[in-house]
Amino acid sequence: MSLYRQLWAALALILVIAFVVSFSVSTFSAKRSLTEQIQLKNADNTNALALALTQLADDPIAIELLIAAQFDTGHYEYIRLTDPEGGVIIERIRENANIGVPAWVGEMISFAAPPGVASVQKGWLQLGTLTLASDVKFAYVELWTSTKQLLIYFLLIYVVCGFGGARVLKIVTQPLHSVVDQARALGERRFIQIPEPRTLEFKELVRSMNTLSEKIRSFFEGEAGRLEQLRRDSHLDSLTQTLDRPQFIKQLGKTIHDDQAAALGVISLFRIRGLQKLNRSHGREVADILLKETGATLNRFVDDNPGWAAGRLNGSDFAILSPGAVGAKETAMRIQEALLLKLEALELSDAVDMPMAVYAYKEGDDVSDVLGNVDSAFASAETLGESALEIFIPPPPDNHRHDAEEWRDLLETTFSNGNIELQCYPVVNNAYELVHLESCARITTDGGDPVSARMFMTWVNRLGYGSKLDHAVINNLDTLLAREQAHVSIHLTNQSIADPELIRALMTELGRSPDRAQRVWIEIPEYSCYQHLDNFRLLCDLARPLGSKVGIEHAGLHIEKIGHLHDIGIDFLKIDQSLVRGIDSTPSNQVYLRGLCTIAHSICELVLAEGLHTDAEWETLKTLGVDGGSGVLIDLPLSD
């Protein structure tokens, strides 16, 4: 029962008790007073009438008329004159009449006032006995009227006090609603904090819960910092803070084979030629500064371009992976220009040079072939001397479009005609039960040839069609959900996440069908989540009432920022496949992922792995705390 109902019930009980007590006291006090007054009235009226009758003792007719007149003008139950032997001489009795008082009133309250009795004499001779009783029905009327008034007053007091008390209770318990919201948020793994209320009891409770949330946040930050340092130690080159060779090659393989990554991209390889000579002539400290600044320059490109990766392959060789980069030559020249400017700033242009080679890879390439081709291009660049640039661009695939206008025309036609389909891939838990279907958009050309997301997503982002694509995906959900009787996940583009109004529009459109919304899982790339944290929080707040689940994909590469999620409340997290690949044979990654799963389970229910390839990987991940995953290893039958 709610506090408001309890308030009304308690107030009603109090007023009922007060009414019963007040009714009892007032009624029985009035009864006693009225009984005394009726008794006195009976005695006085009887004596007065008997005296008058004594004066008319010789005139029986006058006596009768006087008694009749007295009976008619007063409120009497009866007047009776009897002879000395008890015989009735004259009698007047009031007939029973309905006076509007319930019968139970008379049964509960009875007036026992004795009638008045007096002798009628003539001289010393007694003519008879006069008995007179007043009519008490009017006393019942008076008591019934006062009782109804009392009841009305109590009802008015009940209503006024009830609404007034409810208003006061609402004000007093206002902090309680915040406490309830905070408790509910804790149950949803959202460790929020609220202002402390003025009410002492609530203040202590809120302070305790805020302290808990703060401890959880501090735990996240501490564990995240420890895991980030572990990741850096195991994945990054300690001097340049770029990926080491094994991790860079893993990232390259993940990018080439990832169904959601761009189909085309660029890998650039360059060497600081003359580094050993610089070390001998200027000292190790200068060489280390050059290496650090080179790594910092490459990492700035990575930070500005989500999905890119930079690595140090050996002492003087570096590589930068640029998935989705449009124009291999332009991309390479921007990178080389930044590096040469850094050499000039360090005044080392005459001491070393940086030959560079670029290879434009495509969907379906093998990692070893990509590395071999870029090595061949680099060998050509070195023969040219100084900071030469060698670019190798293989023939594009048959369905490749060469410029922005071709892609603009195709995408405009696609969104106008609705030529978008959703392909699905199963995501299962550790019991091999379907969790949801991960959808991936593809478009069809006028000729009927499908174009995968890997081919067109780069141009969708480049041309600013992200919101149109997201709306088109949501519009196609009904068909997919009708075909596949399961939950489905969709991916929102960075353009939509960057604009809160687009988020509201997408959630409004999704919420038009409650059944659809409750079966949809929304995935946001980790870099988009942290880049637009307030908008991501807005998305979670809007999706939660709809019943939609929101999670983060490609997670684990920015573990140091996971503490920012402590008060948001995500539903699931998908670990990036670059951390999953070969996990069974990488002890350092195992330690890292075990810690990541521990933290992730504190803020979400499910931790899933992307890109499962082998049973050994999956079995290892199960022991680390992963709840399931997706990839080529998972093979479940889907509807046609």
Side-chain angles (χ1 to χ4, degrees):
M1 183 183 294
S2 67
L3 284 176
Y4 292 101
R5 290 185 178 180
Q6 293 184 41
L7 170 68
W8 284 98
L11 186 59
L13 179 62
I14 292 173
L15 289 179
V16 166
I17 295 174
F19 174 77
V20 171
V21 173
S22 178
F23 171 78
S24 301
V25 172
S26 62
T27 298
F28 289 103
S29 296
K31 175 184 175 181
R32 184 173 60 252
S33 177
L34 289 173
T35 300
E36 293 175 355
Q37 292 180 19
I38 292 172
Q39 184 178 356
L40 291 175
K41 177 178 179 292
N42 288 344
D44 291 343
N45 289 354
T46 303
N47 291 330
L49 182 58
L51 182 60
L53 293 178
T54 300
Q55 303 299 322
L56 302 174
D58 296 331
D59 191 349
I61 296 175
I63 290 174
E64 185 175 357
L65 291 174
L66 179 59
I67 290 175
Q70 182 72 26
F71 183 82
D72 292 337
T73 56
H75 300 287
Y76 302 101
E77 184 178 351
Y78 66 87
I79 299 177
R80 182 183 301 118
L81 180 62
T82 60
D83 58 25
E85 289 76 19
V88 177
I89 301 174
I90 300 173
E91 186 178 46
R92 292 288 187 272
I93 299 175
R94 177 75 62 185
E95 295 181 359
N96 289 329
N98 186 8
I99 56 176
V101 178
W104 60 266
V105 176
E107 295 173 359
M108 186 177 66
I109 306 172
S110 60
F111 290 95
V117 179
S119 298
V120 180
Q121 297 179 331
K122 182 179 180 182
W124 295 102
L125 179 64
Q126 182 177 358
L127 297 179
T129 299
L130 180 66
T131 305
L132 180 149
S134 296
D135 192 354
V136 296
K137 291 185 179 66
F138 297 99
Y140 290 129
V141 172
E142 182 64 25
L143 284 176
W144 178 243
T145 301
S146 62
T147 300
K148 289 193 295 183
Q149 291 176 346
L150 183 65
L151 180 62
I152 291 173
Y153 293 149
F154 269 87
L155 288 176
L156 289 175
I157 292 173
Y158 175 67
V159 172
V160 172
C161 291
F163 283 106
R167 179 62 180 171
V168 172
L169 183 64
K170 183 177 181 180
I171 296 174
V172 172
T173 59
Q174 184 62 40
L176 182 61
H177 297 294
S178 300
V179 174
V180 171
D181 292 339
Q182 187 180 32
R184 185 180 294 113
L186 290 175
E188 297 172 350
R189 296 181 174 89
R190 292 186 294 119
F191 303 97
I192 64 174
Q193 294 193 357
I194 61 175
E196 294 184 3
R198 296 181 180 179
T199 307
L200 181 61
E201 292 78 6
F202 291 156
K203 185 175 184 178
E204 293 297 327
L205 176 60
V206 170
R207 181 175 297 169
S208 299
M209 296 181 72
N210 283 345
T211 300
L212 173 62
S213 296
E214 179 61 26
K215 287 183 178 179
I216 294 294
R217 186 187 65 81
S218 299
F219 166 76
F220 283 158
E221 291 180 350
E223 286 297 300
R226 184 182 66 83
L227 289 176
E228 174 62 15
Q229 187 59 47
L230 177 63
R231 187 185 74 86
R232 289 180 176 276
D233 292 343
S234 58
H235 294 172
L236 303 184
D237 176 70
S238 59
L239 184 62
T240 64
Q241 294 300 300
T242 58
L243 296 176
D244 58 19
R245 181 182 180 87
Q247 196 61 33
F248 181 83
I249 292 177
K250 282 185 179 181
Q251 186 68 29
L252 174 62
K254 172 250 182 179
T255 302
I256 292 177
H257 299 294
D258 187 359
D259 291 333
Q260 299 177 27
L264 305 177
V266 172
I267 181 171
S268 306
L269 178 66
F270 68 92
R271 174 175 297 161
I272 304 178
R273 191 163 55 181
L275 183 63
Q276 293 182 354
K277 182 179 178 181
L278 177 69
N279 192 17
R280 291 192 299 269
S281 61
H282 290 73
R284 182 181 180 86
E285 183 177 351
V286 173
D288 287 348
I289 291 175
L290 173 59
L291 291 172
K292 288 180 181 179
E293 291 298 324
T294 300
T297 301
L298 296 179
N299 281 331
R300 278 195 289 273
F301 280 98
V302 173
D303 293 337
D304 294 339
N305 299 274
W308 287 28
R312 185 183 182 187
L313 305 185
N314 55 44
S316 59
D317 289 357
F318 290 82
I320 184 165
L321 178 64
S322 310
V326 178
K329 183 176 181 180
E330 293 79 2
T331 302
M333 291 181 66
R334 285 194 297 120
I335 296 172
Q336 188 179 51
E337 181 181 1
L339 294 172
L340 294 178
L341 287 175
K342 181 58 63 176
L343 283 180
E344 292 181 6
L346 296 174
E347 299 181 351
L348 296 175
S349 299
D350 296 332
V352 296
D353 54 30
M354 290 186 180
M356 186 172 184
V358 179
Y359 175 74
Y361 67 84
K362 63 182 183 300
E363 181 181 10
D365 283 349
D366 186 76
V367 173
S368 58
D369 291 339
V370 171
L371 293 176
N373 288 327
V374 74
D375 280 338
S376 298
F378 184 76
S380 299
E382 277 204 307
T383 61
L384 299 176
E386 298 185 350
S387 298
L389 177 61
E390 182 70 16
I391 301 175
F392 178 51
I393 304 178
D398 295 337
N399 60 351
H400 177 66
R401 285 157 181 79
H402 296 275
D403 56 36
E405 288 305 317
E406 288 185 78
W407 279 107
R408 189 188 306 276
D409 293 340
L410 175 60
L411 293 174
E412 287 286 357
T413 302
T414 296
F415 296 129
S416 298
N417 299 335
N419 297 333
I420 290 184
E421 297 178 356
L422 296 179
Q423 287 183 309
C424 291
Y425 306 93
V427 179
V428 301
N429 59 22
N430 288 337
Y432 216 79
E433 298 170 336
L434 183 65
V435 176
H436 65 252
L437 298 175
E438 184 172 347
S439 68
C440 186
R442 69 175 184 177
I443 63 179
T444 55
T445 62
D446 294 337
D449 298 326
V451 181
S452 67
R454 299 192 66 183
M455 295 296 296
F456 67 77
M457 277 306 300
T458 299
W459 290 100
V460 165
N461 295 325
R462 188 178 181 88
L463 299 175
Y465 287 145
S467 63
K468 289 186 177 182
L469 176 62
D470 290 336
H471 280 288
V473 168
I474 291 177
N475 290 333
N476 277 269
L477 278 175
D478 290 334
T479 302
L480 176 60
L481 292 172
R483 185 178 75 240
E484 305 286 352
Q485 299 301 316
H487 290 208
V488 172
S489 73
I490 61 175
H491 309 268
L492 295 187
T493 62
N494 191 59
Q495 181 184 355
S496 294
I497 298 302
D499 189 340
E501 294 305 318
L502 285 178
I503 294 175
R504 291 187 176 92
L506 290 170
M507 290 300 99
T508 299
E509 187 172 339
L510 183 62
R512 289 196 177 101
S513 174
D515 178 67
R516 174 178 63 184
Q518 293 172 7
R519 294 172 59 191
V520 170
W521 299 44
I522 302 172
E523 301 185 21
I524 307 299
E526 186 180 54
Y527 70 85
S528 293
C529 164
Y530 295 131
Q531 186 179 10
H532 309 288
L533 191 62
D534 290 338
N535 294 346
F536 180 68
R537 180 181 283 105
L538 172 64
L539 173 65
C540 293
D541 292 341
L542 294 176
R544 194 173 296 113
L546 299 178
S548 301
K549 296 183 181 296
V550 179
I552 298 176
E553 61 176 342
H554 310 323
L557 302 179
H558 300 280
I559 185 63
E560 76 280 4
K561 298 181 181 179
I562 198 171
H564 298 321
L565 305 176
H566 77 282
D567 61 342
I568 294 180
I570 60 175
D571 296 293
F572 63 97
L573 183 143
K574 292 186 175 181
I575 300 174
D576 189 81
Q577 63 176 296
S578 64
L579 301 174
V580 173
R581 187 67 59 83
I583 186 66
D584 54 299
S585 59
T586 314
S588 59
N589 273 8
Q590 294 177 18
V591 175
Y592 175 73
L593 283 187
R594 190 186 302 276
L596 174 59
C597 289
T598 300
I599 296 180
H601 277 125
S602 300
I603 58 175
C604 68
E605 183 177 356
L606 285 174
V607 178
L608 305 169
E610 298 175 341
L612 293 172
H613 277 72
T614 66
D615 290 325
E617 289 177 351
W618 196 2
E619 292 302 321
T620 302
L621 289 169
K622 290 179 182 178
T623 66
L624 301 179
V626 173
D627 303 307
S630 62
V632 297
L633 181 66
I634 310 302
D635 183 18
L636 286 180
L638 303 178
S639 301
D640 294 332

